[in-house]
Amino acid sequence: MKLHFTKMHGAGNDFVVVDATRIAFKPVPTQLAKLADRHFGAGCDQILVVEPASDPDVDFDYRIYNSDGSESGQCGNGARCLLRFIHERGISAKKSLRVRTISQVLELEKTADGQTRVNMGVPRFAPGEIPLSATQRQAHYALNIEGKEIRFGAANMGNPHAVIEVADVERAPVAPLGAALQAHVFFPQSVNVGFMQIVDAGTIHLRVNERGVGETLACGSGACAAVAAGRLWGKLGERVRVQMRGGELGVEWAGEGQSLYLSGPAVTVYQGEMEI
């Protein structure tokens, strides 16, 4: 099968984007792994697929695949790239779109400065909604990992996130501690793990180890979860600059019960085709 695709990125978080509005694309794990491979494929963090709407309440369905074959319910950086892809490919000319993932509906819009903005929905904090194995909601949870207590906040932004505050994000044990938490029974569906260094009420540095992917240069839903946790801890304001290794994202959140918004760049790298 010869697949036509577009390579894109949002702050270094990179994607292979596929138009399945005309010809269906139902990938199997071996195809996803080949596409995502950085030596033998196009190379990406995730594969994004735009499909015809499954109901009249949305413009398109939006599928997010990890390289291990698993499907994610949320990717903020990917959603911004998806909007640009849809416009550039002439699939739709609407400046704002509603798209459905396996877990929620997202609202996408192009901003006056040329960036893209996503309504990421209302953050969820109840243990059963994240999900995690706790009997009641807490601002901080704690687990013993290799003899050390790890404290973290948790939220669902369409996918589960744990957020750990650190003094120096560059020295944080992102890979080993991220992997340990992702494998822990406390998270029945695994978890994305963010390491957040708070600079001031309007600025954080963040690194994220994503489930099924590993550390990425940026993570949109991770940025949102980190700001949501920091706001609940009383340490962050309504508008926060999130500085990640691949670039900067903006997060706006008025507070609990309100929708959270993510903005940032969406860049087309190239178009190509590959035999899969």
Side-chain angles (χ1 to χ4, degrees):
M1 173 186 177
K2 185 170 287 187
L3 180 72
H4 297 270
F5 66 88
T6 298
K7 179 70 181 288
M8 306 185 76
H9 79 85
N13 190 188
D14 63 340
F15 310 99
V16 164
V17 191
V18 178
D19 176 8
T21 60
R22 301 173 181 86
I23 301 175
F25 176 54
K26 304 294 184 184
V28 298
T30 53
Q31 292 174 319
L32 295 169
K34 187 173 183 179
L35 277 169
D37 192 287
R38 296 190 183 277
H39 298 286
F40 299 102
C44 63
D45 293 322
Q46 290 169 313
I47 293 93
L48 314 179
V49 181
V50 56
E51 298 180 337
S54 56
D55 66 66
D57 293 332
V58 297
D59 296 290
F60 298 99
D61 283 2
Y62 166 39
R63 311 296 294 271
I64 308 156
Y65 296 102
N66 298 318
S67 59
D68 65 358
S70 60
E71 186 171 356
S72 176
Q74 178 62 289
C75 179
N77 288 325
R80 296 198 323 278
C81 288
L82 188 78
L83 178 62
R84 178 163 186 168
F85 174 81
I86 288 170
H87 287 166
E88 289 183 340
R89 293 296 297 268
I91 302 170
S92 173
K94 294 175 65 174
K95 291 185 177 180
S96 60
L97 294 170
R98 286 168 55 84
V99 298
R100 184 184 300 280
T101 75
I102 59 169
S103 66
Q104 66 185 117
V105 172
L106 300 176
E107 297 176 355
L108 323 176
E109 64 176 345
K110 187 175 181 179
T111 61
D113 60 1
Q115 293 199 333
T116 49
R117 185 171 184 257
V118 182
N119 179 341
M120 299 285 284
V122 178
R124 291 174 286 171
F125 302 101
E129 291 183 311
I130 293 173
L132 47 81
S133 300
T135 57
Q136 61 183 11
R137 172 180 162 178
Q138 301 177 46
H140 287 89
Y141 301 88
L143 290 175
N144 186 292
I145 303 294
E146 296 183 354
K148 184 177 180 179
E149 183 183 80
I150 304 299
R151 299 178 74 244
F152 55 91
N156 186 297
M157 288 301 316
N159 50 10
H161 286 268
V163 181
I164 302 168
E165 184 179 358
V166 297
D168 183 357
V169 73
E170 292 304 320
R171 299 178 63 184
V174 174
L177 183 53
L181 287 173
Q182 286 163 349
H184 201 284
V185 294
F186 190 71
F187 300 102
Q189 295 180 13
S190 191
V191 69
N192 302 293
V193 185
F195 296 79
M196 173 174 63
Q197 176 186 342
I198 298 176
V199 178
D200 55 45
T203 309
I204 65 172
H205 297 301
L206 181 70
R207 294 171 63 188
V208 179
N209 191 306
E210 296 189 48
R211 59 177 181 173
V213 180
E215 185 178 4
T216 58
L217 292 176
C219 176
S221 61
C224 296
V227 171
R231 289 275 285 148
L232 292 183
W233 298 337
K235 296 185 177 185
L236 296 176
E238 289 190 18
R239 291 177 173 81
V240 181
R241 296 164 55 221
V242 182
Q243 297 175 344
M244 309 188 77
R245 288 186 162 184
E248 182 175 299
L249 303 175
V251 176
E252 305 166 51
W253 190 44
E256 197 154 356
Q258 303 297 311
S259 291
L260 186 152
Y261 294 86
L262 173 72
S263 59
V267 179
T268 297
V269 183
Y270 65 86
Q271 293 184 9
E273 60 181 30
M274 179 178 169
E275 187 66 45
I276 61 169

